[in-house]
Amino acid sequence: ESLYLDSPRTGEPKEGAEVSNNQVVALECALPKMTQLTDLYIRGSWMTNRLVARLAPVLQQIPKLQELYLWDENLPEERKTEMDLILSQLVATNKVTVEYTEY
């Protein structure tokens, strides 16, 4: 089972199209119930260090999660390093593979 977190409509970030707190809270409540989830794709407006940091502890509650794909066409190396730190517990505890991709 896969889940795609993407920007509204076109999949491309829009000016000021931030993910609302209500969307994040709804996802935080829904994710632990997704016991069959194996792959999660994060892209667009969802692909911020702040949102990924907020979701990381929730992702640890998904027993079958194996792959986390982070899509960003221009991810600077320092941001990738921060993201690796944010996700290090998830990788260590749950053995989740994190892949960075540009498409």
Side-chain angles (χ1 to χ4, degrees):
E1 194 173 298
S2 298
L3 177 66
Y4 294 81
L5 299 179
D6 208 337
S7 299
R9 287 181 214 89
T10 64
E12 297 305 317
K14 293 178 174 40
E15 286 298 317
E18 290 189 22
V19 176
S20 74
N21 188 57
N22 287 347
Q23 288 172 300
V24 178
V25 169
L27 189 62
E28 286 173 324
C29 292
L31 278 173
K33 297 174 186 149
M34 297 181 179
T35 57
Q36 300 304 309
L37 185 67
T38 57
D39 302 316
L40 178 62
Y41 299 82
I42 300 179
R43 174 180 176 173
S45 304
W46 288 90
M47 183 57 186
T48 68
N49 288 14
R50 182 181 61 81
L51 285 176
V52 173
R54 191 163 160 188
L55 293 176
V58 180
L59 296 177
Q60 289 180 343
Q61 300 173 39
I62 303 171
K64 294 186 178 183
L65 187 64
Q66 298 170 354
E67 300 278 342
L68 179 60
Y69 297 95
L70 303 173
W71 294 350
D72 193 322
E73 292 160 12
N74 300 305
L75 187 65
E77 195 59 38
E78 64 274 1
R79 207 165 138 233
K80 183 180 178 294
T81 302
E82 289 173 22
M83 199 69 79
D84 286 341
L85 257 159
I86 291 167
L87 296 170
S88 62
Q89 187 67 39
L90 179 66
V91 170
T93 306
N94 296 54
K95 308 294 184 239
V96 172
T97 301
V98 176
E99 284 193 42
Y100 294 92
T101 182
E102 296 179 2
Y103 53 87

